[in-house]
Amino acid sequence: MRKIRICFCMLLTLIMGLEGIGFPYISVEAAATTVVQIKIGDTNFQASFKDNKTTKALLKKFPVTYTMPELNGNEKYKYLSYELPKNAKQVKTIHAGDIMLYGTDCIVLFYKDFKTSYSYTRLGRITDPSGLEKAVTKGKIKVQFSIPKKKIRLNKKKITLTKGSSFQLKLIGGKAKKVKWSVQNKKIATVKNGRIKAKKKGKTRIVATYRKKKYVCKLTVTEKSAATAKPKETADATKEPVQTEEPKETPGITEEPVQTEEPQEEGEYMMKMKIDDVEVSVAWEDNESVRELKKIAGNGEIKISMSMYGGFEQVGSLGTNISRQDVQMRTEPGDIVLYSGNQMVVFYGSNTWAYTRLGKIQGLTNEELKNLLGTGNVTITIFAHS
């Protein structure tokens, strides 16, 4: 019995530091690098796994289904037929959704919070453990672990450019160096490494060939000038074009920012922000939190590793605490807030919680925000406005 008790093990902790958004548990660890799908009965959960020797060895075994018995009314466990590298540490507090390794061969999935004196190697964490306790029920359960396949797609299926303008087309999920680009009519446009240059009015197709499969983007080139173009029909040769299609026709992410209005001037509190390589316009709040954020950035920049959470936000640690004036609020897509004094949250959906407002992204539709923030972990860069 004591041996079973010692089996208290487990596997994963949500590396991302975003427990705060909707849960009181906050982690400031580095962002996870691997998303794992976990299926218990008819219920699916998403987990974030750490990037360490233990998880690398375990992930090679996926997909796999484990039969996991019950232990102590708070966890399910599985003894493996092989050993994994370990880096056990005393964790003190277990949280529902934690997945850890006990010893070198016992994986544990925790579905309740409790205190412990045992040591574990953290593997990862279910990002949203709500419903987990109900899903595991009583007794033995079957738990399926798998790594979702990346869907390969173009960041745009249809675009409209003005003569002389350009646009960066990307094949999301593919290796850029192995993509071959071609254009159906070279008189209308040219393409090199996905960069489209509009030459003449007309319609053609841009083709990306990857692993013998073709991905097509329909291109329309117009003659409209910057002076007469409608707001959503880009024609300014100095800026990247803004697409004319409806949001559902634009499932990808552009490499350059899409702006439909000029950034609001916020005096000394104005800063620039990038989501990965895409610069976005932000209307910053005039408060102490933003002033301190600007001081941290100084004349340089702040890089924040963000992680997806809850299907509506990206969260990342600032690495330090700044002033907070939390109020209960319902956030909207584009809102940028401070959680718990040290976590930045950028929303592409909505949530109700107590936050401090930092700013709001301007000029992007809800669909464009979801494309930027809702397809994987991102890096936020904040730097002084020149």
Side-chain angles (χ1 to χ4, degrees):
M1 192 69 183
R2 178 172 179 78
K3 183 176 180 181
I4 295 178
R5 172 80 179 173
I6 292 179
C7 150
F8 254 55
C9 51
M10 156 3 229
L11 100 1
L12 123 125
T13 189
L14 177 57
I15 301 163
M16 115 187 172
L18 50 59
E19 316 284 288
I21 315 332
F23 295 91
Y25 169 45
I26 302 172
S27 163
V28 291
E29 301 176 48
T33 58
T34 303
V35 173
V36 173
Q37 196 76 25
I38 297 177
K39 186 175 183 179
I40 303 173
D42 295 328
T43 307
N44 291 302
F45 299 91
Q46 190 177 85
S48 295
F49 271 65
K50 283 175 163 274
D51 182 12
N52 57 37
K53 291 181 180 179
T54 310
T55 56
K56 286 178 179 178
L58 181 62
L59 292 174
K60 291 179 181 178
K61 305 292 183 178
F62 290 1
V64 67
T65 299
Y66 295 135
T67 299
M68 305 183 79
E70 169 69 30
L71 183 65
N72 300 317
N74 53 36
E75 66 192 69
K76 303 289 183 178
Y77 69 94
K78 169 65 179 179
Y79 274 109
L80 305 173
S81 59
Y82 53 89
E83 293 188 346
L84 295 170
K86 70 172 185 176
N87 183 22
K89 295 180 181 178
Q90 190 173 23
V91 297
K92 297 183 180 179
T93 302
I94 295 292
H95 298 278
D98 282 348
I99 304 171
M100 302 192 189
L101 178 73
Y102 180 80
T104 59
D105 63 351
C106 183
I107 291 178
V108 185
L109 168 62
F110 294 96
Y111 60 88
K112 284 186 179 180
D113 297 354
F114 64 95
K115 301 290 184 181
T116 182
S117 60
Y118 286 95
S119 296
Y120 301 96
T121 300
R122 290 188 180 274
L123 299 174
R125 177 174 168 77
I126 292 176
T127 54
D128 183 1
S130 58
L132 177 61
E133 185 176 354
K134 182 179 179 180
V136 298
T137 63
K138 295 180 180 179
K140 292 183 180 180
I141 60 169
K142 288 188 176 182
V143 183
Q144 183 182 84
F145 294 83
S146 60
I147 301 174
K149 292 182 179 179
K150 291 183 179 179
K151 184 178 180 181
I152 300 176
R153 68 187 190 279
L154 289 171
N155 60 332
K156 295 290 180 182
K157 291 183 179 179
K158 185 189 299 183
I159 56 176
T160 299
L161 303 180
T162 55
K163 181 180 176 180
S165 62
S166 60
F167 181 79
Q168 181 65 50
L169 199 60
K170 295 172 67 177
L171 187 66
I172 298 172
K175 295 182 179 180
K177 292 182 179 179
K178 294 187 177 182
V179 181
K180 293 184 178 180
W181 297 92
S182 61
V183 60
Q184 194 176 57
N185 190 333
K186 294 182 179 180
K187 292 182 179 180
I188 294 174
T190 58
V191 61
K192 183 178 181 181
N193 297 327
R195 190 74 179 181
I196 304 169
K197 176 78 172 181
K199 297 174 63 179
K200 181 182 177 181
K201 180 181 177 180
K203 294 184 178 182
T204 187
R205 294 187 176 195
I206 307 298
V207 181
T209 304
Y210 183 70
R211 292 179 178 174
K212 298 182 180 180
K213 186 174 180 179
K214 297 182 184 297
Y215 301 84
V216 178
C217 173
K218 295 179 180 179
L219 171 66
T220 300
V221 178
T222 67
E223 291 280 4
K224 290 188 177 181
S225 64
T228 60
K230 294 180 181 179
K232 291 186 179 180
E233 296 175 334
T234 61
D236 186 346
T238 64
K239 295 183 180 179
E240 289 305 318
V242 181
Q243 310 311 313
T244 60
E245 61 270 19
E246 292 300 316
K248 53 180 154 184
E249 292 290 342
T250 59
I253 304 173
T254 61
E255 193 171 76
E256 286 76 21
V258 179
Q259 298 181 359
T260 59
E261 57 185 76
E262 291 299 315
Q264 297 180 15
E265 289 298 328
E266 296 292 337
E268 63 176 313
Y269 310 113
M270 189 61 170
M271 294 175 286
K272 289 185 177 181
M273 190 172 95
K274 284 185 177 181
I275 301 173
D276 287 334
D277 295 327
V278 179
E279 186 175 324
V280 295
S281 174
V282 177
W284 297 98
E285 293 289 319
D286 183 357
N287 61 30
E288 188 61 30
S289 302
V290 175
R291 285 192 283 272
E292 291 183 19
L293 191 64
K294 189 173 189 300
K295 286 181 181 179
I296 296 172
N299 294 324
E301 62 183 30
I302 306 171
K303 281 191 177 292
I304 308 168
S305 296
M306 309 290 283
S307 296
M308 293 178 64
Y309 183 77
F312 51 80
E313 67 197 9
Q314 290 266 357
V315 186
S317 174
L318 294 174
T320 187
N321 287 292
I322 60 177
S323 298
R324 54 195 284 197
Q325 308 88 36
D326 293 345
V327 295
Q328 192 75 9
M329 66 179 76
R330 180 167 181 77
T331 60
E332 299 298 335
D335 282 345
I336 305 170
V337 302
L338 177 71
Y339 175 81
S340 194
N342 58 16
Q343 305 278 314
M344 174 177 279
V345 189
V346 183
F347 288 90
Y348 56 92
S350 298
N351 190 36
T352 301
W353 204 259
Y355 304 111
T356 298
R357 287 193 181 278
L358 297 178
K360 188 175 183 68
I361 296 173
Q362 304 290 296
L364 296 180
T365 66
N366 291 354
E367 186 70 18
E368 289 169 329
L369 286 166
K370 188 174 182 180
N371 288 337
L372 275 174
L373 299 165
T375 59
N377 297 344
V378 301
T379 298
I380 296 289
T381 305
I382 298 174
F383 51 103
H385 184 265
S386 55

